Amino acid sequence: MKKTGSEIENDVFKILKDSTLTAGIRGTIFREGMRPNGAKTEDAIVSFMTGLDAQIQTGVLNLNIYVPDIDNGSGALIKNGARCQALEILVNGIIQALKPSTEYRFSLGSIIQTFQAEDIKQHFVNCKIKFQLATF
């Protein structure tokens, strides 16, 4: 059965909520647009990015895990590098361990890396998740 972007996003959200990611972060897993404004917790956001419609639907989802910056001891906020690295490793293991379901096959879309979200004084670990969905 063919699915829409929202349906695929919801499926992957459920898969990740049932994975070790839930226990591995110090916050909540949300779908795109559901994380509260001003959140200071370590939250994961799942969002559909793009997809191609065919007998096998393919595309990419985004997983961002926000990590609050830490005080460097002199009042300046800096990247929590150790925590970001630990989350990069955790997410890499989770994606590599995802077993093919009856519908989906997953792989990494690019190297997992951390970016700055300066306007909210946080950094985020970014993982692009490629999917294939058999629709026949």
Side-chain angles (χ1 to χ4, degrees):
M1 171 176 87
K2 291 189 178 217
K3 295 191 178 190
T4 67
S6 293
E7 289 173 306
I8 294 167
E9 179 183 284
N10 193 52
D11 288 347
V12 173
F13 168 78
K14 288 177 183 176
I15 290 167
L16 291 173
K17 275 204 69 101
D18 291 339
S19 76
T20 57
L21 182 61
T22 301
I25 64 171
R26 301 172 184 152
T28 306
I29 302 173
F30 294 101
R31 288 183 64 189
E32 177 68 26
M34 302 305 288
R35 185 180 192 223
N37 288 336
K40 303 271 187 240
T41 49
E42 193 178 274
D43 297 321
I45 312 294
V46 178
S47 58
F48 183 85
M49 291 181 61
T50 187
L52 296 174
D53 191 32
Q55 191 169 9
I56 296 179
Q57 291 180 300
T58 60
V60 179
L61 294 113
N62 214 22
L63 173 65
N64 289 333
I65 304 172
Y66 288 84
V67 179
D69 289 347
I70 56 173
D71 189 313
N72 70 353
S74 66
L77 294 176
I78 61 170
K79 172 183 174 181
N80 186 342
R83 186 63 183 147
C84 290
Q85 182 178 4
L87 288 169
E88 287 180 10
I89 293 167
L90 172 72
V91 170
N92 188 46
I94 290 169
I95 301 305
Q96 298 300 331
L98 285 177
K99 303 275 189 263
S101 69
T102 55
E103 307 181 276
Y104 289 100
R105 300 219 185 278
F106 297 104
S107 62
L108 287 175
S110 63
I111 292 175
I112 298 169
Q113 57 187 320
T114 300
F115 296 97
Q116 183 177 23
E118 188 174 332
D119 55 327
I120 59 173
K121 296 180 176 50
Q122 296 180 24
H123 281 72
F124 61 94
V125 173
N126 174 256
C127 176
K128 305 252 187 289
I129 304 169
K130 289 173 50 177
F131 71 88
Q132 293 181 328
L133 171 62
T135 60
F136 45 87

